[in-house]
Amino acid sequence: MAEDVPAAASKAQRYDDEVEVPFQSINQMVSFLSGGEEYNMELHKGIMNGEIVTQVTAHRDAMDKVRKVVGKHLKTIVKLTKSPPIETGVPTFPAVNEISVTINAATVKKEAVGHICEDMGEEEFNKLKPTDVDKLVKAEFGKWTTDTRLRKPVEFIGTLTVRQEPVNLASIRTFLQRTAARRAVHPTRGPLVQALQFIMQRAEAHGKIDGDIGYITVVNQRAATGLEVDGNELMMRSFTGVNKLPSVPPMWLREALQHEIQLALPRSYIGKSAFAFGSLVKTICRHGLQSVDGDCVKCFIQLRYKALPDSMKAEVPTYQAYLKSSKRIIAHFETRVPKNVSVKEHIIAASNMGGYDSGSVSFDQWLDDLRRDTAIIMDYEWERNPQLHDACSQEPKPKVNLLAKLDWHREYMVTSKMDNRFCSNEWDGVVQFCASDAECEKAFKRMQLQAGDVEISRKTLEDPMAKAMKQYPELEWNHVNPMGTMLFLSQLSRCQVALKTSVSEVKLIDTVFGDVVRGLSNMHAMKSQKDKFEIFAGGKWEVEKDISDVVSVVKKDLETLFGAFKIQDYNDVKESKVEEVIPTYVPKPLDQDAFISKVTDCYLKYTRFAEEKALDYDLWGKLLGANGIMYNFVTDEFGPAKPEDRLLRTTEHPLRDWDAPDDLKNSIKKFSEVLKDFFLKGGQSLDASQNGDSEAGASNGILNMVSEGGETRELRGRLREIFNSIYEQPRSHMIRGMCRVLSDNYEDPSARSIDDVCYILRQDARVCASVEGLCGMLNLTGPKNGGKSYLAQRQYAFLGLQNNHYGKMTSGSYLTTKPPSDPEKSRPIKNQFQGKKAIYFKELPPLPLIPETVKDLLDPRDGHTEGRANHSKKTDQTSFPISFVLFAMANSPVSVYKHGTEDTGMGGKLGEIQTLYKLCDEPDVHNPRERQADAEFSTATMKGKHNDEFFFWARSMYKTLVPDICKGRHIVPEPASLKTHEEESMGEATDVLLKAWMKDSLKECTPAEATPWTELMTIIQSSFGTVSKHVMTECNISPKFKGQYRPNKGVSHDYLKVYNAETKKSSPVKYVKKAAFAFEYIDCVICPADSYLFCARFLSTRPIDPGR
């Protein structure tokens, strides 16, 4: 019944988008799918019985037509993909040569004796005594008899395979140029540099090197189980190396590995694949190679599901859903779990009856469903595999153990089909090494064919540096060590050989050990002064250290590189998880003080100490946590602090992300972004009265509707809406506390005033980031129990107040005391301000501030300030940049000391926020100035419970301090209350009074209307008396700002031009006694008492006629 293959199905046209595939019979379908082969009755029967499942792949446009036709034929599976179908005739490769062996002392010795007998001849051999035979056998075994393993296997029954695996030696050498690569230590596998060093030595000893590509010998070992599953032997996973073999393996294996045993490598490193050392080592060794990593997708879950009968598959709906939409499910739950929780790892653990407590209720419920499905599969497999019960019953979880055995078996049944002699077998997949991209494509197609109906994917290698930074984020990966890779590895090898030889050999090369320590150094020990050192450890610099402290650093480096250790996890007295590194073995004499001291002397003797910037001299935009993690405000990135950052002080607690819900954090980010836009568009206040949204602020709203654009009003309304949503969130503890202290109508979202709150939040960002160029001191004043301490407490609970922290609290009398007249006099208190981010002056006395004292601590643009410690010498650096902000706390408004009406120079540099409410345990409900106190909340803030919320807000509000907004030297816009208090605190200073007079009495006009210059000067003198030139300049009254009115006819005159910040122009002004805005009423519709509609048109700036 053979039929011709339709012309449309020829190979040249098979994937054309417009091709019709009109199958008239099963025969035609088989011919089409098999490339035009003759009809095969067995194939026909297989399709009819559902034993053969065909996978068709075609272009998207053609697939619907293919699906309609092929879908009619039984259980054919149609898979939609963009790729062309798997071609027939892809290249084949030599099969894996697995050798079944039984290895024990008796069989290996018998083999060796037979080999000796064959070499000597039977007649000569029979003359030997048993002791002579033993000596010859020992000589035959050579270095294989030297086995330092604590537990030596006595027998191995299974299969062995020997392969050659390529490694990129250039990639290893380049990677090891970085100091972090030499310092990285895996918690179970030991130093990273050791694994890479031994792989390089194995490749060099192998002898086959093609340019930068070397080869290592890899031994695959698979233990026999003696059990059966579904009529086949139960297969175990294949592991690489010789660690499961007795000390002396068979002769053919000894010959294959002779070049490695001669290197005297630890037994655990011989014959291992790069894959066995972890994903980072594998990535480094294979970087730049042409390779294909065919990986079984969701291996165990997929294979368990496929092994179920069709009638049971509906009973495991979570398995079904995960296999169908794993990426969507993972992405969904990644937004709901804490940042440190891996969704994928929890899913894998739950599929093996683990993975509890993810931190997300919804994800835990889903994991419960996954465990339920796994339990159903376990029960099914337990019932159908009674032959495995005895092998599993002794395990703590017999059913889980049985399922694991079946997982490994099914994994092998798939990967063994894909495996060949040029591959690396890596448990749930295989990696094939090719010569080109084209070969890689063909190799993957071959894997797809051989995997059958099991879905596989092609994994790609990450960049080694990117992967290293993820795995060891605490290390600085940008530092390239001045000691070259090959010199470092050479000296390291000399040390390793000496340690294996004798203690005396080690002591002869103490300078070589010093070189190795130098090769590990990332500028982490520096001379600061005679016999004193600065040491970088744990992401932080430590000062005033002596030689014994450097010895401790060297001791730790030697133990890490040459010793053995383990990681011990436990909870400390604060219930915080601690990971402690405990050395379990340190070779002699590396555990002796005398030798370590000698190595330290050699290290210091041959290390050059470059001149570096002083500690904490560059704090701009940087914040260092107690855990050594630094946050960069400019790049919005966390990362380990680098030695070259030269950061000494830290926050009191570690820096970490806030674990609040994502919707709350996103709202805060959005608020800060919209606030930045609001300020850039000229917005000033966020109070509801500015939009006329409240009855009390109706008149203000009218004025603002005239003077500002609709977009600004829209942004204000949007900001208030976002802020109110943030306020209502349960985790917004700090914001509610600040509103309780600062806001009018704090419980009414429509009338709540938030200008002061936003200003303090921006000050928080300024403090944490040490914004260069901004100056100004902030006074927090108000009644007793008014909450002013809370506003400061939020900051210093985060910054800390110890000498090694960023905050400093001192007596308020410092600011009311004149500086010493002797410039050489020591100033130890001021010396402690170096490197701080905030100075808190507690309880100012009722005395005026001394301008010289305050100004000396303001404005980083004016250069350094100077503070000599008691022990300072004339050669010591005693000046330092002003990286801090000043905060003063007092019960009453502060004043500034001045001589008469002379300018104090404090204009614009002294702001004040007043708290107007009293927080009481039992407030009088009839007194609007009393509010409910919360002692527990205050205590929690003091203990740092809300530090993460504080820090998140500071990071978000930093973007509102950009130079496009704060163009001068202050945080702008300022809340109206701050401006008022600033003027009051300045008292009767001439510049303050004159500026206020100008604001009230000078109005914009035309040049013809402008008040003549001489007349204006006379008016000023009559009002203020003689005003000094520098005060006039401070108020922008200067001949430089003169304008000229020169009409063709009439009287000409000069006039003053005043800069208008809103129009960004300088305009003529005239003197008026009273001035106001005039409006022409267009329409007015009277509405209910709580609202009205008002329309106005701005006419001009001129005196209003009282009669209108």
Side-chain angles (χ1 to χ4, degrees):
M1 176 178 122
E3 298 180 27
D4 295 332
V5 178
S10 65
K11 186 174 182 180
Q13 298 178 335
R14 191 180 303 174
Y15 313 123
D16 192 297
D17 290 353
E18 302 300 326
V19 167
E20 295 278 352
V21 190
F23 291 118
Q24 302 298 324
S25 65
I26 294 293
N27 184 22
Q28 284 189 350
M29 185 184 74
V30 172
S31 297
F32 173 77
L33 296 178
S34 59
E37 295 179 0
E38 291 297 320
Y39 177 78
N40 183 297
M41 181 58 72
E42 293 299 317
L43 188 60
H44 185 175
K45 291 179 180 178
I47 293 175
M48 294 293 294
N49 295 331
E51 298 168 355
I52 296 177
V53 178
T54 306
Q55 186 177 72
V56 179
T57 312
H59 285 284
R60 287 184 179 274
D61 294 340
M63 183 52 74
D64 286 340
K65 299 174 182 178
V66 175
R67 182 184 286 106
K68 289 178 182 178
V69 178
V70 181
K72 299 175 182 178
H73 297 284
L74 313 168
K75 297 183 179 179
T76 302
I77 294 178
V78 180
K79 178 183 176 183
L80 178 61
T81 125
K82 292 181 179 179
S83 306
I86 301 171
E87 297 177 7
T88 57
V90 293
T92 57
F93 299 92
V96 176
N97 183 23
E98 286 194 320
I99 302 174
S100 297
V101 295
T102 298
I103 306 173
N104 54 45
T107 59
V108 173
K109 183 176 181 179
K110 182 178 179 181
E111 180 193 45
V113 169
H115 183 255
I116 294 169
C117 180
E118 183 180 346
D119 286 348
M120 294 182 64
E122 187 174 351
E123 184 177 350
E124 290 295 323
F125 179 79
N126 290 334
K127 296 178 182 179
L128 296 176
K129 297 178 181 179
T131 54
D132 295 331
V133 173
D134 290 341
K135 289 179 181 178
L136 291 173
V137 169
K138 187 174 182 180
E140 176 80 12
F141 292 162
K143 291 188 176 182
W144 287 98
T145 58
T146 305
D147 189 351
T148 59
R149 289 180 293 177
L150 297 177
R151 296 180 180 178
K152 303 176 183 64
V154 296
E155 185 175 58
F156 175 82
I157 301 174
T159 60
L160 299 176
T161 306
V162 178
R163 317 181 196 219
Q164 311 303 318
E165 183 179 303
V167 292
N168 189 338
L169 300 178
S171 174
I172 297 175
R173 286 192 291 265
T174 301
F175 186 80
L176 286 178
Q177 287 180 343
R178 302 181 184 275
T179 304
R182 305 175 186 180
R183 300 187 66 83
V185 179
H186 192 276
T188 57
R189 298 187 178 102
L192 179 64
V193 63
Q194 197 171 77
L196 295 172
Q197 175 200 20
F198 289 159
I199 288 174
M200 288 186 69
Q201 290 179 351
R202 290 168 60 195
E204 291 165 358
H206 184 281
K208 181 182 177 182
I209 296 180
D210 183 11
D212 292 328
I213 308 303
Y215 292 83
I216 56 175
T217 301
V218 175
V219 177
N220 287 89
Q221 47 185 339
R222 179 180 288 105
T225 63
L227 301 170
E228 287 190 359
V229 172
D230 298 332
N232 299 308
E233 181 186 357
L234 178 69
M235 305 303 291
M236 292 280 287
R237 264 184 173 171
S238 173
F239 296 88
T240 63
V242 296
N243 56 309
K244 294 183 180 296
L245 306 183
S247 298
V248 183
M251 180 184 297
W252 63 270
L253 188 56
R254 297 201 302 273
E255 291 176 351
L257 294 172
Q258 191 63 25
H259 61 285
E260 293 197 6
I261 199 69
Q262 293 299 326
L263 295 172
L265 300 178
R267 191 65 62 102
S268 58
Y269 286 88
I270 295 175
K272 270 194 173 182
S273 166
F275 162 75
F277 293 100
S279 59
L280 178 55
V281 172
K282 178 184 75 171
T283 302
I284 297 165
C285 292
R286 296 176 182 175
H287 179 65
L289 300 182
Q290 298 287 353
S291 63
V292 182
D293 188 347
D295 189 63
C296 184
V297 177
K298 298 174 282 293
C299 184
F300 291 166
I301 292 179
Q302 181 185 180
L303 297 179
R304 291 172 190 174
Y305 183 77
K306 287 184 178 295
L308 291 175
D310 290 343
S311 59
M312 281 193 64
K313 290 181 178 178
E315 298 180 28
V316 288
T318 310
Y319 268 52
Q320 282 183 328
Y322 184 67
L323 289 171
K324 183 179 180 180
S325 308
S326 60
K327 290 183 179 179
R328 181 181 61 80
I329 291 172
I330 291 174
H332 172 77
F333 287 120
E334 279 180 341
T335 64
R336 286 160 171 77
V337 299
K339 295 289 186 182
N340 61 337
V341 172
S342 169
V343 169
K344 190 172 181 180
E345 288 180 5
H346 269 72
I347 290 175
I348 294 173
S351 69
N352 294 296
M353 304 307 289
Y356 292 91
D357 300 326
S358 68
S360 166
V361 174
S362 60
F363 187 39
D364 284 340
Q365 291 172 347
W366 189 89
L367 292 175
D368 288 340
D369 293 339
L370 187 66
R371 281 186 285 268
R372 182 192 63 81
D373 286 5
T374 301
I376 291 173
I377 295 174
M378 278 196 310
D379 292 340
Y380 167 74
E381 296 291 3
W382 182 264
E383 292 298 325
R384 66 185 291 265
N385 290 288
Q387 76 281 8
L388 302 181
H389 289 188
D390 290 343
C392 303
S393 296
Q394 302 304 314
E395 300 295 332
K397 298 179 179 179
K399 291 185 178 181
V400 174
N401 184 262
L402 180 139
L403 190 60
K405 284 181 167 60
L406 294 176
D407 288 339
W408 283 12
H409 171 78
R410 290 165 182 155
E411 175 186 83
Y412 168 81
M413 299 303 288
V414 175
T415 57
S416 62
K417 297 174 184 177
M418 303 156 58
D419 200 4
N420 64 62
R421 206 175 299 172
F422 299 128
C423 286
S424 170
N425 189 304
E426 299 180 356
W427 297 349
D428 60 351
V430 297
V431 175
Q432 179 159 337
F433 303 97
C434 306
S436 66
D437 287 336
E439 285 191 18
C440 288
E441 292 294 332
K442 291 182 179 180
F444 184 62
K445 291 176 182 178
R446 174 191 60 77
M447 293 178 187
Q448 287 179 305
L449 274 173
Q450 293 169 330
D453 66 341
V454 175
E455 183 183 358
I456 66 170
S457 64
R458 182 176 177 181
K459 292 171 63 177
T460 56
L461 286 176
E462 290 185 66
D463 177 75
M465 272 294 296
K467 190 169 185 64
M469 293 173 75
K470 289 180 188 175
Q471 191 164 335
Y472 300 98
E474 71 280 4
L475 298 176
E476 171 45 43
W477 287 96
N478 293 322
H479 184 265
V480 176
N481 201 285
M483 180 183 287
T485 298
M486 300 314 294
L487 174 59
F488 173 74
L489 292 179
S490 173
Q491 301 296 69
L492 179 60
S493 295
R494 289 181 63 187
C495 294
Q496 291 166 339
V497 171
L499 287 168
K500 293 174 182 176
T501 305
S502 66
V503 172
S504 59
E505 288 292 323
V506 174
K507 291 182 177 181
L508 291 174
I509 58 169
D510 50 6
T511 57
V512 179
F513 278 89
D515 285 342
V516 170
V517 174
R518 186 160 52 91
L520 290 173
S521 173
N522 183 8
M523 200 187 71
H524 61 302
M526 296 182 60
K527 289 180 180 176
S528 58
Q529 50 186 313
K530 185 178 180 181
D531 299 328
K532 292 295 180 181
F533 299 88
E534 295 171 356
I535 296 176
F536 185 77
K540 297 174 288 184
W541 280 99
E542 300 173 358
V543 297
E544 295 293 312
K545 299 297 180 180
D546 56 27
I547 188 67
S548 64
D549 297 296
V550 182
V551 170
S552 297
V553 173
V554 173
K555 178 177 181 290
K556 183 177 180 180
D557 285 347
L558 294 175
E559 287 178 349
T560 300
L561 198 55
F562 299 107
F565 54 90
K566 65 179 180 180
I567 305 294
Q568 185 69 50
D569 297 344
Y570 62 91
N571 291 334
D572 62 10
V573 293
K574 296 182 179 179
E575 294 301 317
S576 299
K577 186 177 180 181
V578 176
E579 288 188 352
E580 189 172 353
V581 179
I582 303 174
T584 57
Y585 166 73
V586 179
K588 295 182 181 303
L590 303 188
D591 56 352
Q592 299 174 3
D593 286 342
F595 179 75
I596 298 172
S597 296
K598 287 186 65 178
V599 173
T600 302
D601 291 340
C602 295
Y603 161 65
L604 295 176
K605 181 178 180 180
Y606 295 104
T607 298
R608 295 179 62 188
F609 291 89
E611 289 293 328
E612 289 289 333
K613 60 188 176 186
L615 292 167
D616 281 343
Y617 262 52
D618 181 12
L619 288 178
W620 317 119
K622 301 173 185 175
L623 186 73
L624 181 62
N627 53 353
I629 298 299
M630 185 188 79
Y631 177 72
N632 189 315
F633 282 86
V634 178
T635 62
D636 189 23
E637 292 177 338
F638 287 93
K642 299 174 288 189
E644 52 265 37
D645 290 324
R646 301 289 286 158
L647 298 179
L648 173 65
R649 288 170 177 80
T650 71
T651 58
E652 184 169 3
H653 302 287
L655 293 187
R656 60 190 182 189
D657 199 9
W658 189 23
D659 62 353
D662 285 340
D663 56 346
L664 171 56
K665 294 194 288 187
N666 291 336
S667 294
I668 294 173
K669 291 179 182 177
K670 191 66 177 176
F671 179 81
S672 62
E673 291 165 1
V674 178
L675 184 63
K676 175 184 175 182
D677 195 26
F678 176 75
F679 289 152
L680 288 173
K681 287 180 167 55
Q684 299 290 315
S685 173
L686 293 178
D687 282 353
S689 61
Q690 301 301 306
N691 274 4
D693 294 337
S694 65
E695 183 178 357
S699 58
N700 289 336
I702 296 170
L703 181 60
N704 282 300
M705 282 191 283
V706 174
S707 62
E708 68 181 11
E711 186 178 7
T712 305
R713 295 196 299 275
E714 181 181 344
L715 287 175
R716 179 184 296 112
R718 187 178 174 195
L719 283 165
R720 291 190 60 82
E721 182 180 343
I722 298 173
F723 187 91
N724 290 336
S725 70
I726 294 171
Y727 183 95
E728 296 298 331
Q729 287 274 2
R731 293 293 301 276
S732 291
H733 303 293
M734 183 184 76
I735 290 301
R736 284 194 293 275
M738 293 177 70
C739 287
R740 184 183 294 269
V741 171
L742 293 170
S743 299
D744 295 331
N745 304 306
Y746 77 100
E747 292 180 320
D748 182 358
S750 65
R752 181 185 297 130
S753 59
I754 60 175
D755 278 349
D756 288 357
V757 174
C758 290
Y759 183 76
I760 294 294
L761 290 171
R762 297 176 73 201
Q763 285 283 2
D764 294 341
R766 173 195 172 192
V767 167
C768 293
S770 294
V771 181
E772 192 171 14
L774 293 180
C775 77
M777 172 181 170
L778 187 63
N779 300 313
L780 303 173
T781 64
K784 183 180 179 182
N785 298 327
K788 56 185 181 292
S789 296
Y790 164 71
L791 297 176
Q793 189 182 72
R794 299 171 311 106
Q795 290 186 5
Y796 60 72
F798 174 74
L799 298 176
L801 293 174
Q802 300 295 327
N803 284 340
N804 60 322
H805 295 152
Y806 282 125
K808 170 70 177 177
M809 184 172 287
T810 190
S811 172
S813 61
Y814 182 94
L815 298 178
T816 59
T817 304
K818 291 184 178 181
S821 57
D822 182 5
E824 294 295 324
K825 186 176 181 179
S826 64
R827 304 189 66 183
I829 293 180
K830 185 179 177 185
N831 179 264
Q832 295 177 16
F833 295 171
Q834 179 181 345
K836 299 291 187 178
K837 286 181 176 285
I839 312 296
Y840 303 94
F841 297 94
K842 191 175 182 181
E843 297 303 329
L844 286 175
L847 298 172
L849 303 181
I850 303 300
E852 294 81 5
T853 302
V854 177
K855 289 190 291 184
D856 185 39
L857 300 177
L858 292 178
D859 196 1
R861 283 189 190 170
D862 287 344
H864 291 190
T865 187
E866 197 257 357
R868 184 183 298 278
N870 287 329
H871 61 273
S872 297
K873 301 175 183 178
K874 290 187 177 182
T875 56
D876 291 343
Q877 174 77 33
T878 57
S879 66
F880 51 87
I882 301 173
S883 57
F884 43 80
V885 181
L886 306 183
F887 292 90
M889 290 164 276
N891 290 333
S892 57
V894 300
S895 59
V896 179
Y897 177 80
K898 57 187 177 295
H899 296 282
T901 58
E902 280 298 310
D903 177 27
T904 62
M906 294 291 292
K909 297 182 179 180
L910 186 64
E912 185 170 301
I913 290 288
Q914 289 189 351
T915 60
L916 304 177
Y917 304 97
K918 185 177 181 180
L919 303 178
C920 311
D921 293 333
E922 296 180 0
D924 182 353
V925 294
H926 302 293
N927 187 346
R929 291 302 175 187
E930 292 189 4
R931 293 180 175 179
Q932 181 65 55
D934 189 343
E936 292 184 3
F937 172 73
S938 179
T939 301
T941 300
M942 182 177 63
K943 292 183 177 181
K945 300 291 185 181
H946 305 307
N947 279 356
D948 294 345
E949 181 183 3
F950 170 88
F951 184 41
F952 190 87
W953 269 102
R955 288 159 49 196
S956 300
M957 297 298 277
Y958 174 75
K959 61 176 67 72
T960 69
L961 303 179
V962 294
D964 289 342
I965 297 173
C966 303
K967 297 180 180 180
R969 310 178 79 175
H970 313 291
I971 294 180
V972 294
E974 298 170 333
S977 58
L978 182 93
K979 294 177 182 177
T980 302
H981 299 154
E982 176 186 320
E983 293 170 3
E984 289 174 355
S985 67
M986 295 303 299
E988 300 298 320
T990 304
D991 60 327
V992 176
L993 296 174
L994 181 54
K995 286 179 181 178
W997 178 87
M998 291 174 64
K999 182 178 179 181
D1000 185 58
S1001 301
L1002 300 182
K1003 302 303 175 185
E1004 294 181 17
C1005 61
T1006 65
E1009 295 175 320
T1011 302
W1013 177 272
T1014 54
E1015 182 181 341
L1016 184 62
M1017 294 302 104
T1018 301
I1019 294 171
I1020 292 175
Q1021 185 173 7
S1022 64
S1023 300
F1024 297 93
T1026 302
V1027 181
S1028 62
K1029 185 176 180 180
H1030 77 274
V1031 172
M1032 297 283 277
T1033 303
E1034 174 70 21
C1035 297
N1036 293 323
I1037 302 175
S1038 168
K1040 292 182 179 180
F1041 303 115
K1042 274 185 181 182
Q1044 294 181 343
Y1045 175 64
R1046 299 289 186 266
N1048 292 331
K1049 296 180 180 180
V1051 181
S1052 62
H1053 61 264
D1054 296 339
Y1055 56 83
L1056 174 66
K1057 292 192 296 184
V1058 174
Y1059 179 74
N1060 188 321
E1062 294 182 0
T1063 63
K1064 296 181 172 55
K1065 294 180 180 179
S1066 294
S1067 304
V1069 293
K1070 65 178 179 179
Y1071 170 70
V1072 293
K1073 292 185 178 180
K1074 286 186 178 181
F1077 288 98
F1079 303 95
E1080 177 182 2
Y1081 286 78
I1082 298 174
D1083 192 14
C1084 183
V1085 180
I1086 304 301
C1087 296
D1090 58 345
S1091 63
Y1092 57 87
L1093 176 64
F1094 177 80
C1095 298
R1097 177 163 60 87
F1098 180 66
L1099 295 178
S1100 64
T1101 304
R1102 66 176 187 271
I1104 295 181
D1105 182 356
R1108 289 192 60 183

